[in-house]
């Protein structure tokens, strides 16, 4: 009898040990795909897209409003003081008849993006899916019956992209207890608690049960309300919930920007912020193509494709990702300026993607206007990618031993690049003028190292 009980205990211990090991391994490897991926698409789309940055004869930014000095079109309700009743009635106008999930995700794929993150709910509180706990959702629009998030998920599976959600867990301008902009009267803790339990938690569950996402992107940026409402307890409750229901799902540091704790999978920088060095966790810059995230028809500050490629490569050189935003129009179309840029970036990636995907940061300090990425190669050595982001002189000295380099050529064409050895024993590349002066955009020279 005692022997039997002992055996049973042993078996149980074994099973426990085994499942624990599996969980540990999942925890350790959960973010592997994210580290390799480097490049993702962010989409900001909701009721604000209808207003496109303008309301009642005013266009953001507009300093005649006390809080009007911002380009962020997704903030228009607050910044241009759109009356709640007017803004809420936009649900009756949200009818993106030209929405085509396959086309969106195909564009992302062709741009070289490996994951796709869409605003399931932004600060305005509007849910882009048919939510059981809120009528402020797609189910109240003329587009009801369409499963936007489901179609996007399907398209992501088809094209091999990971799929995840931006979810505004702190600010919610619709729910009475959701946090409001910092210049508004502060919400009571008891009201926030209600909002948290009756909207945030159930909606996160819905998103997981319905769409099985690969990641969540929460959004705080270190202001006073975050400190007050997103307590460690709430942060950990939300993390535990997601871990329990969807252990593969990644969670970002902006779940609590001031105090992310140790359990988050990756860090998100502030909007359009680029750190100077690598981080202790996988990380990412969320970035805009214009100033605004949501569609803003009068924001003409479009970055060039080459600028965006530089940001992508620069982040890769520090071990980070680049999450590039598109703000679709209310009819469901991507702005043509965005389409053009996605295609241009995709063209560059088709020729130079090897220098980005699956690479690691390089500690060696690079000359100005240059960044390095690297990865092991099949011969037991490594490939070092010298990315020229700014014009260089044709004789380019690099901080690598000449004797360690087997081979050197332009990545996109295979054109050999002549090398010399300088007095210090380091390599000096002899670049053709068109390469050194970037006539063909950002250039990558590949060094095959011992
Ligand atoms: O969803 C988008 C924005 O609506 C939301 N986060 C992104 C992904 C956001 N809303 N407000 N904030 C972020 C805080 C913004 C702070 C800013 Fe700044 C101050 C933006 C511009 C000045 C800090 C400094 C961040 C960029 C520069």
């Amino acid at each position: 009898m005692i022997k039997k009980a002992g055996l049973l205990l042993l078996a149980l211990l074994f099973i426990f040990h085994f499942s624990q090991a599996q969980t540990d391994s999942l925890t350790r490897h959960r973010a592997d795909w994210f580290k390799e991926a480097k490049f993702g698409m962010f989409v900001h789309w909701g009721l604000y897209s209808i207003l496109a940055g303008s309301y009642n004869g005013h266009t953001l930014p507009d300093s005649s409003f006390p809080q009007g000095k911002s380009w962020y079109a997704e903030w228009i309700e607050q910044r241009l003081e759109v009356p709640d009743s007017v803004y809420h009635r936009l649900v009756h106008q949200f009818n993106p008849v030209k929405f085509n999930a396959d086309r969106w995700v195909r564009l992302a794929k062709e741009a070289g993006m490996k994951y796709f993150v869409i605003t399931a709910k932004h600060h305005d509180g509007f849910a882009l899916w048919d939510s059981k706990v809120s009528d402020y959702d797609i189910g109240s629009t003329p587009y009801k019956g369409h499963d936007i998030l489901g179609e996007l998920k399907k398209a992501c599976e088809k094209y091999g992209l990971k799929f995840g959600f931006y979810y505004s867990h702190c600010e919610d301008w619709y729910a009475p207890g959701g946090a409001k902009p910092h210049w508004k009267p502060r919400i009571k803790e008891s009201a926030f608690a209600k909002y948290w339990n009756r909207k945030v938690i159930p909606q996160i569950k819905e998103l997981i049960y319905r769409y099985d996402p690969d990641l969540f992107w929460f959004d705080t940026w270190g202001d006073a309300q975050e400190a007050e409402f997103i307590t460690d307890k709430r942060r950990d409750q939300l993390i535990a919930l997601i871990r329990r229901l969807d252990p593969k799902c990644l969670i970002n540091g902006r779940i609590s920007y001031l105090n992310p704790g140790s359990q988050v999978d990756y860090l998100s920088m502030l909007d359009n912020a680029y750190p100077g060095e690598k981080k202790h966790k996988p990380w990412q810059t969320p970035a805009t193509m214009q100033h605004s995230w949501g569609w803003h028809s009068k924001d003409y500050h479009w970055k060039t494709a080459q600028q965006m490629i530089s940001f992508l490569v620069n982040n890769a050189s520090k071990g980070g990702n680049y999450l590039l935003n598109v703000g679709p129009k209310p009819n469901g179309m991507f702005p043509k300026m965005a389409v053009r840029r996605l295609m241009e970036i995709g063209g560059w990636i088709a020729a130079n993607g090897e220098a980005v995907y699956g690479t690691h940061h390089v500690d060696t300090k690079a000359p100005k206007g240059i960044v390095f990425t690297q990865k092991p190669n099949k011969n037991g050595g490594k490939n070092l990618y010298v990315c020229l982001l700014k014009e260089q002189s044709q004789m380019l000295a690099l901080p690598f031993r000449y004797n360690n380099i087997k081979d050197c050529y332009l990545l996109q064409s295979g054109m050999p690049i002549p090398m010399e050895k300088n007095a210090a024993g380091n390599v000096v590349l002899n670049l053709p003028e068109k390469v050194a002066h970037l006539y063909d955009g950002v250039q990558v020279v590949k060094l095959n190292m011992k």
Side-chain angles (χ1 to χ4, degrees), residues 183-197:
W183 59 88
K184 289 272 170 94
R186 190 62 60 85
I187 292 294
K188 283 214 188 78
E189 161 59 31
S190 57
F192 189 86
K194 239 188 230 167
Y195 154 70
W196 184 264
N197 292 325

Side-chain angles (χ1 to χ4, degrees), residues 37-39 274-275 283 285 305-323 345 348-349 351-357 359-362 366 369-374 384-390 411 441-445:
K38 299 293 185 246
F39 192 23
Y274 298 91
W283 62 272
T285 298
Q306 293 303 323
Q307 281 173 317
M308 295 188 269
I309 290 164
S310 295
F311 284 129
L312 168 68
V313 178
N314 183 37
N315 274 13
S317 78
K318 300 178 178 87
N321 291 9
Y322 186 57
L323 183 66
I345 296 170
W348 185 90
I349 289 269
N352 296 288
E354 185 191 320
V356 175
Y357 302 125
T359 58
H360 307 286
H361 82 279
V362 177
I370 293 181
V371 298
F372 302 137
T373 61
Q374 63 174 330
L384 204 135
Y385 302 94
V386 181
C387 309
L388 313 186
L389 310 182
K390 300 250 162 68
L411 179 62
V442 168
Q443 292 295 307
V444 181
V445 176

